[in-house]
Amino acid sequence: MKRRSFLKTIPIGLGAMALSCDRKKNKFTDQLRSFDDSLYHNFLHPKASARPFYRWWWNDNRVTAKEVRRELQVMAQQGAGGVEINPIALPDIYKDLAGEKLTWLSREWNQVLLAAVDEAQKLEMIVDLIVGTGWPFGGKFLSDKETIQGIAVKVHTIKGPISLEKEINSDENPAGKIMQIKLFPLKITAIDEGIDLFFHLEKGRILRVDIPRGEWNLYIVTWHNKFRDVMYGAQGADGPALDHFNKAAVEKYLRRMSDALNPLFGGSMGKALRALFCDSIELEGANWTTDMADEFRRRFGYDVEPYLPLLLGGEIETDANFADTLRRVKFDFSTLLAELFMNRFILPYHNWCLQNGVVSRYQAYGHPWLYTDLLDGYLAPDIPEGDQWLYNAGWVKHHRIDDIRYAIWNKYASSAGHLGGKKIISCEAMTNTRGLWEATLEYMKQATDLNIVGGINHFILHGFNYSPPDAEFPGWIRFGAYYNENNTWWPYLRLWSDYAARLCQIFQDSHYKAQAAILGPTPDVWSEHGLDRNPWNTTPAYLHDLWQALNHHGYCSDYINATILRNATFAAGKLHFGPMSYDLLICCDIHSVEIETAQAMLDFAESGGKILFVNATPRRSPGFLDAQKNDALVQEIVKRLLAEKRDNVQLQHYDENSNLTAWMGGQLSRMHIAPAVQISNPDERLFMINSAAEGRDLFFFCNSNRARSIEFEATFADKDKTAWEWDAETGAVSAWATTARPLKIELKPLQSLLLVLSDQPADEFATQYDMDARTSVEIKGPWHVEFKPVKGESFHKVLTSLIDFAAAGPKNFAGTAIYKTQFSLAQTANMMLDCGAVHDIAKVILNGKPLGIRWWGEKKFFIRDELVDGVNQLEIRV
């Protein structure tokens, strides 16, 4: 398998031994203090709801009660707090597998589910369950009228005059039906230029018609259903996808599940399950339902059918006036799809969860369309959930930190969670389909810290594969970063689990604080592109980088939308919604707003609130009806907003070729917005998050750079506090400094720091040590190395010097390498061992005594009394 080196250069695996120590800001602390309060108790002993869960793939539903009990025990031993049971089909490469393929919701399947819940309760673990199998919702048991529906358009260019005879139904859509056949000139200036050819259709499929002189586009609009199946659906809920715009079908589908499971759990699923889960909304092509045309007419007062060929048929040649008309109709059509999806799917699903005693956990994103404004979708569920991938950076320039996709969905999930006062904001974490065998605990820590600063406070690891012990190595695998007891780092996973759980717990127990609200141009995107997610992600290009530019300066922010703005209250210069308040509203390249949204902006400004318009101010309304009148009203409101030359409302231009972090710093200074913490040296790999609990401010800083330290001064508004470091790896607490003056902080590569500002004074501050390079002693070997692979026979090597195994040595290896050597030393006080660059986990034993384990970052070990005067025996397990 492809693998990076274990050890590199001198000092690799082991490096320099220091004879004395300098006082520096690193994480080796002497003085510890415990706090007798609930916040610290939960931090030290995280609850199951803060511990990582596993998405537990029930591969092919080939599950047994005995094996699910065993696997739950395996997960619990490594710090899992729960599971999300997710039945899914196995890849086709697996043949002739042992075990019976059970049917979802069958008596046999239900009994295994019952055993899983029983074992989880014994282990004090939580169980969530996906609705259906795979994604999206669907099944062979659906009737035709309950399945996914869509309309599509084919366009053919024709030059007349010509007598056209064309077979349509068979080559356009054999399973569908033709809704419209329209002929438009190449350049269209009005909707009534279309010529209806539908009555020329013979026998339902042959078009015979004389086309007039000129160049024309022939638009064929077809309706179809059952065109998308459940992705990776397992037996019992595989088959065609559900029509998510059909409320009756949605509720019937959900009742099928609750009717089967409620009796199993004594009348209510809530007695056994915490949450029911809806995975990402992947319904490509779903843009219609039976009453769509009637609903459009009822809500907007005009017919959408004449416009359908042009809305869905791609680029057209037109003039400015008609192009504006089409943008307005497309906005109305997109708005209807979003409202129907909310009212007929998301809210019925959420309400069904409540009726059955469980909470709703929901991912509002999907591919390739976003069926609601993302924030609206995330405001509905009890637990909004984002996602984060390894080895898949995504779409936005600054969301590409070492190929970790970490931000867009997470920031909208967390923003909605903050605005809605939700305690838990979860994330499908460490999703990995490209680097399955290369994920390391260090890489997971880097991704974890990025998720935390993005507002995530719970991780659903993706995923643990149900795989019986007698399955051929490496077992049954569907997706994920190979969470399995055969994994070489599985014995050390508890170290990451405890770290992540403590961070999640303290941010579940605290309240997020923010200074800025960010508003994007959703009406403009819907008008131009409909519900396509890619333009939404990247319009304007800086939109989803903006929270990071703020963050590097010590500001926290949320994304909001028109729903939030129209329902907010404004007082004393602050925008209030739910438990949140903001000092600054940043409006990003917004050209279109509805009248109520424009009025809310004016109300905020008149209360003293500060608004930064970037590159544009609104000048139009997005809808079709009464467009001119509504445009004039928007323009009048915006004129009033800007007329009085308010210092609190500014229009500034951003050149996308310039540095966004530096530009944003200038705007914040100009508008006199106070940060959560003033950072002296903004760095694009330095992130932070601020929250409050029980009268204390919490600040989490992380360096997301793998190779470079970051030094900065942090200045806090409160000057009479003690900053205590709460170590998320160990649970230990130590006094860091007082806030009377700026704190000098150095974060080593991938290092994080959690500071809790408290009124509790410190007797003394912890001494913090690092290597003194002037007094280092090199350990040269020779090294006796035993290689113990996870599969195959062990073998040995003797190395006179440490080498890079990526360049020379066993290139294909998974397992443990045990390095042993001995060295002599006369002085044994105040020592530190630096192992240099180790890939990836180093466990060090000196003279039979463990020095510790380092699973990320620098592999340095503080030595107290383990050294002896004379010959010392050193062992390093990599």
Side-chain angles (χ1 to χ4, degrees), residues 417-428:
H418 300 150
L419 291 157
K422 309 295 172 64
K423 178 179 179 180
I424 297 176
I425 302 162
S426 65
C427 168
E428 174 189 304

Side-chain angles (χ1 to χ4, degrees), residues 404-651:
I404 299 171
R405 188 173 90 190
Y406 61 92
I408 296 179
W409 313 140
N410 286 356
K411 276 302 292 183
Y412 280 89
S414 67
S415 295
H418 300 150
L419 291 157
K422 309 295 172 64
K423 178 179 179 180
I424 297 176
I425 302 162
S426 65
C427 168
E428 174 189 304
M430 317 300 163
T431 305
N432 183 1
T433 59
R434 297 184 183 176
L436 179 60
W437 310 110
E438 296 189 36
T440 64
L441 293 185
E442 179 175 84
Y443 196 25
M444 287 171 57
K445 181 194 185 295
Q446 186 181 17
T448 298
D449 292 346
L450 289 169
N451 289 334
I452 290 290
V453 297
I456 296 300
N457 61 28
H458 193 225
F459 298 101
I460 313 291
L461 292 176
H462 187 286
F464 190 98
N465 284 272
Y466 177 97
S467 183
D470 57 356
E472 183 180 355
F473 181 86
W476 301 350
I477 300 174
R478 173 74 265 180
F479 291 122
Y482 198 53
Y483 298 103
N484 186 290
E485 61 264 46
N486 292 326
N487 192 315
T488 59
W489 45 252
W490 181 262
Y492 306 97
L493 182 58
R494 182 69 186 244
L495 299 172
W496 173 85
S497 297
D498 289 347
Y499 172 80
R502 289 194 177 101
L503 289 176
C504 288
Q505 185 69 67
I506 200 164
F507 287 109
Q508 286 182 16
D509 288 346
S510 57
H511 168 66
Y512 180 71
K513 298 173 69 176
Q515 292 74 45
I518 304 169
L519 182 67
T522 295
D524 294 311
V525 175
W526 283 6
S527 299
E528 195 69 35
H529 305 285
L531 302 181
D532 188 343
R533 82 172 187 181
N534 288 334
W536 192 90
N537 290 339
T538 57
T539 306
Y542 63 86
L543 175 62
H544 295 121
D545 294 335
L546 192 56
W547 76 272
Q548 297 180 101
L550 289 157
N551 195 272
H552 302 321
H553 288 279
Y555 295 82
C556 293
S557 60
D558 282 323
Y559 285 86
I560 67 168
N561 67 358
T563 302
I564 300 300
L565 203 52
R566 291 197 297 259
N567 290 282
T569 58
F570 313 112
K574 288 187 178 290
L575 188 162
H576 299 278
F577 187 98
M580 297 302 299
S581 63
Y582 307 94
D583 303 308
L584 174 66
L585 173 64
I586 306 175
C587 299
C588 303
D589 277 77
I590 296 173
H591 300 277
S592 306
V593 295
E594 294 179 283
I595 294 167
E596 298 85 354
T597 307
Q599 184 61 51
M601 293 176 179
L602 177 60
D603 293 343
F604 178 48
E606 288 180 338
S607 79
K610 297 180 178 181
I611 303 178
L612 173 62
F613 289 102
V614 183
N615 293 339
T617 55
R619 55 179 173 78
R620 67 191 293 274
S621 64
F624 176 72
L625 280 187
D626 299 322
Q628 288 186 338
K629 182 182 76 172
N630 292 336
D631 286 357
L633 288 171
V634 167
Q635 292 163 13
E636 176 60 28
I637 293 170
V638 174
K639 183 179 179 181
R640 292 171 57 197
L641 184 62
L642 302 170
E644 300 169 13
K645 300 187 183 300
R646 309 171 191 268
D647 292 335
N648 59 323
V649 180
Q650 295 191 15
L651 168 64

Side-chain angles (χ1 to χ4, degrees), residues 27 401 404 406 445-454 499 503 507 547-548 551-552 677 679 681-690 699-706 708-712 745-755 856:
K27 285 182 64 74
I401 293 178
I404 299 171
Y406 61 92
K445 181 194 185 295
Q446 186 181 17
T448 298
D449 292 346
L450 289 169
N451 289 334
I452 290 290
V453 297
Y499 172 80
L503 289 176
F507 287 109
W547 76 272
Q548 297 180 101
N551 195 272
H552 302 321
V677 55
I679 293 174
N681 180 31
D683 189 294
E684 293 195 351
R685 289 296 184 98
L686 174 64
F687 292 86
M688 54 76 60
I689 189 171
N690 171 217
F699 290 88
F700 177 76
F701 300 92
C702 71
N703 175 5
S704 64
N705 196 298
R706 294 180 178 180
R708 175 173 57 84
S709 294
I710 296 176
E711 297 184 34
F712 62 99
I745 298 175
E746 178 188 5
L747 296 180
K748 295 297 180 70
L750 300 186
Q751 186 178 356
S752 56
L753 173 67
L754 176 62
L755 294 179
W856 65 271

